[in-house]
Amino acid sequence: MSDNLNILLVGASQMAVDYHKVLKALKCEVTVVGRSKSGVEKFRELTGSEAIEGGLSDFLLHNDLKRFSSAIVAVGLEELFATTVALLKAGIKKILVEKPAGLNFEEIEKLSLSALEMKAEIYVAYNRRFYESVLQARKIIEEDGGVSSFHFEFTEWSHVIEKIDKKPGIKENWFLANSSHVVDLAFFMGGEPEKLSAYTSGSLSWHPVSIFAGSGITKKGALFTYHSNWEAPGRWFVELLTNKHRLILKPLEELHIQKRGSVLVEKMQLDSELDLNYKPGLFRQTQAFVHGSGSDLFSLQDHKMRLKYLKQIVNQID
């Protein structure tokens, strides 16, 4: 672990505020670069700390980035790709970028190539991997000898989303931008897919697909299924089965357990202090990134490899 914990935090949004809180708790030196005067003022109001306005491009013209050990990108979805590429070109070799690292599949693939060319270490911030519920479920899975099958749902509330004002391209890529959180968590806990059969139907005025169903097998032989209907009621959840337990994350922040031979489903009591004091999952995720213990972080290269299956799910096969 390096003693140089000088972090460049790009963005002054609420997400940046959440990161700043964690970084200060980890005793990091933090330089925050925002864009607009109003955003920087809001950041200062919420954190009591300064941020530099004018955007990253202006900051790069007047600053040497050699003093920074790494950077965190917490800008809007439509700016993730360009911001991360700018940091790479400026010499930053270790970056944590907010999920899903680009507005669409093409941007993620281009960013992956840039990272390889620059020999940079980039991680995608799927913070739900670090929930206390996930940590405890994974302990049980390990004790039970692994996952034999799992099911997940990533239903979105389309009646709510259609009323949200978003910049062009965001709602059209909502599966990647938002639903991929659940897909990542399911494959992180259950295993990476080896084969997948996907089916879609329906569409919305703002999204090309509205109903999803599919199944597959992981590289370790676990079977999985998924189903999501954005035109009907539903919610996000993941269920994982071992030879002893059914583990239910519904909602994802909670862990419910059914033991073999019983119909009783019990809620597990969790020590969720970190998830209550900080944005859930963010403390452990940022700690893993800053201190180099990043085995559970999702590398950009692994993200790029998984795009094949994400494209299948949303029916955007090359």
Side-chain angles (χ1 to χ4, degrees):
M1 181 185 75
S2 172
D3 292 330
N4 176 20
L5 299 180
N6 195 343
I7 314 296
L8 177 62
L9 176 58
V10 185
S13 62
Q14 180 58 51
M15 194 70 228
V17 170
D18 293 331
Y19 272 115
H20 183 268
K21 182 179 179 181
V22 173
L23 289 169
K24 297 310 289 185
L26 292 172
K27 302 188 183 307
C28 298
E29 291 295 325
V30 187
T31 299
V32 182
V33 177
R35 186 174 56 182
S36 67
K37 181 178 180 180
S38 61
V40 166
E41 288 177 348
K42 184 66 174 178
F43 180 89
R44 185 185 301 121
E45 176 186 329
L46 292 173
T47 65
S49 296
E50 295 298 321
I52 301 168
E53 67 177 275
L56 181 62
S57 296
D58 184 69
F59 182 80
L60 293 176
L61 289 174
H62 303 96
N63 292 272
D64 184 353
L65 301 194
K66 290 181 180 178
R67 71 180 190 274
F68 297 109
S69 58
S70 57
I72 296 176
V73 179
V75 298
L77 181 69
E78 71 283 358
E79 300 171 354
L80 292 173
F81 170 73
T83 302
T84 308
V85 168
L87 289 170
L88 285 173
K89 291 181 177 179
I92 295 290
K93 297 294 187 181
K94 183 180 178 183
I95 302 170
L96 177 66
V97 55
E98 264 303 297
K99 60 271 185 190
L103 179 61
N104 50 47
F105 294 118
E106 292 73 23
E107 286 191 349
I108 296 169
E109 289 167 342
K110 288 179 182 178
L111 184 60
S112 173
L113 288 173
S114 296
L116 283 175
E117 290 172 0
M118 302 287 186
K119 297 181 179 179
E121 186 180 353
I122 300 183
Y123 299 99
V124 186
Y126 282 107
N127 59 292
R128 287 169 178 82
R129 291 177 169 224
F130 297 87
Y131 282 0
E132 180 67 22
S133 57
V134 173
L135 180 65
Q136 296 306 320
R138 292 182 70 206
K139 288 181 179 179
I140 294 171
I141 289 168
E142 184 176 359
E143 291 170 357
D144 289 356
V147 171
S148 55
S149 64
F150 59 101
H151 174 74
F152 59 96
E153 180 174 314
F154 50 87
T155 293
E156 302 284 353
W157 289 9
S158 60
H159 63 289
V160 174
I161 299 166
E162 67 182 357
K163 299 173 185 176
I164 301 174
D165 185 24
K166 290 288 186 180
K167 293 184 178 180
I170 294 180
K171 290 202 286 189
E172 292 88 339
N173 290 287
W174 198 260
F175 166 78
L176 177 62
N178 209 52
S179 308
S180 65
H181 303 341
V182 187
V183 180
D184 173 72
L185 185 60
F187 290 149
F188 172 62
M189 300 180 74
E192 289 296 319
E194 178 71 33
K195 295 180 181 179
L196 184 145
S197 297
Y199 305 89
T200 61
S201 68
S203 65
L204 301 167
S205 61
W206 49 272
H207 197 270
V209 177
S210 59
I211 304 173
F212 311 75
S215 62
I217 186 169
T218 71
K219 293 178 180 178
K220 291 187 176 181
L223 303 181
F224 66 86
T225 59
Y226 65 87
H227 172 241
S228 293
N229 188 335
W230 295 12
E231 299 181 42
R235 71 183 305 174
W236 289 0
F237 69 84
V238 178
E239 290 189 4
L240 305 108
L241 290 86
T242 72
N243 61 355
K244 295 181 180 179
H245 299 96
R246 179 186 292 263
L247 306 170
I248 306 165
L249 288 87
K250 188 177 182 179
L252 300 179
E253 295 86 351
E254 298 179 1
L255 176 58
H256 301 258
I257 303 176
Q258 181 181 1
K259 296 179 181 179
R260 187 172 184 173
S262 172
V263 296
L264 181 65
V265 177
E266 299 179 280
K267 180 179 177 180
M268 184 176 184
Q269 295 302 310
L270 302 172
D271 180 8
S272 301
E273 183 178 357
L274 288 175
D275 288 346
L276 292 172
N277 291 338
Y278 303 91
K279 182 179 176 66
L282 203 67
F283 188 95
R284 288 193 182 95
Q285 174 190 268
T286 309
Q287 185 180 47
F289 173 71
V290 168
H291 291 301
S293 55
S295 60
D296 291 337
L297 291 170
F298 194 33
S299 76
L300 178 63
Q301 300 309 321
D302 286 342
H303 188 32
K304 194 263 183 184
M305 291 176 62
R306 190 193 282 165
L307 291 187
K308 168 186 174 181
Y309 302 104
L310 296 182
K311 288 179 181 180
Q312 281 185 260
I313 291 173
V314 80
N315 195 24
Q316 292 187 22
I317 304 169
D318 293 333

